[in-house]
Amino acid sequence: MSKGKQVFRITGARTSLSDDVRSRQRRYVISMSLRTVCVLLAVVMWDVQRLVAYGALAGAVLLPYFAVLIANAGRERAPGLPSTFAVPPDTPLMLGPGGTGGGGASKES
């Protein structure tokens, strides 16, 4: 690396919007497919094992709510990204009136 050049890192960059939407759609379709399996299991097991059929029906009723929650989870803020307004530590602070910097009057006057 040459001296004086600023290097930007993109390892913390978010996925593209189209990839994010595609993954949300995939999660929702998987959840709704599982709901369909629950409904079919309830129909098949109704006369065989009533307790399993009730459990499958409960899953079929509750899955749409959780499917929407799971599908909408995403596109959160990427953690650990550097601030756009990073100030180098050697930059003097601009203090207000009575301070040592900025527009304030110095104590020696």
Side-chain angles (χ1 to χ4, degrees):
M1 299 239 150
S2 64
K3 225 177 193 182
K5 284 194 174 184
Q6 189 173 8
V7 178
F8 297 97
R9 63 184 178 130
I10 62 166
T11 56
R14 295 190 288 183
T15 57
S16 68
L17 185 59
S18 61
D19 288 341
D20 183 57
V21 169
R22 189 178 1 228
S23 69
R24 288 180 192 217
Q25 288 173 339
R26 190 177 317 124
R27 287 186 297 222
Y28 187 77
V29 167
I30 289 170
S31 299
M32 288 297 103
S33 299
L34 184 60
R35 179 181 189 224
T36 304
V37 169
C38 285
V39 169
L40 292 176
L41 182 67
V43 169
V44 169
M45 297 300 287
W46 189 256
D47 287 330
V48 180
Q49 184 72 27
R50 192 68 51 109
L51 191 58
V52 174
Y54 284 136
L57 280 176
V61 168
L62 295 175
L63 266 172
Y65 173 74
F66 290 109
V68 170
L69 287 181
I70 291 169
N72 286 336
R75 208 75 186 150
E76 281 87 20
R77 191 167 182 228
L81 292 178
S83 172
T84 306
F85 302 105
V87 179
D90 58 346
T91 303
L93 294 175
M94 300 299 286
L95 302 175
T100 59
S106 65
K107 293 181 181 181
E108 298 161 7
S109 347

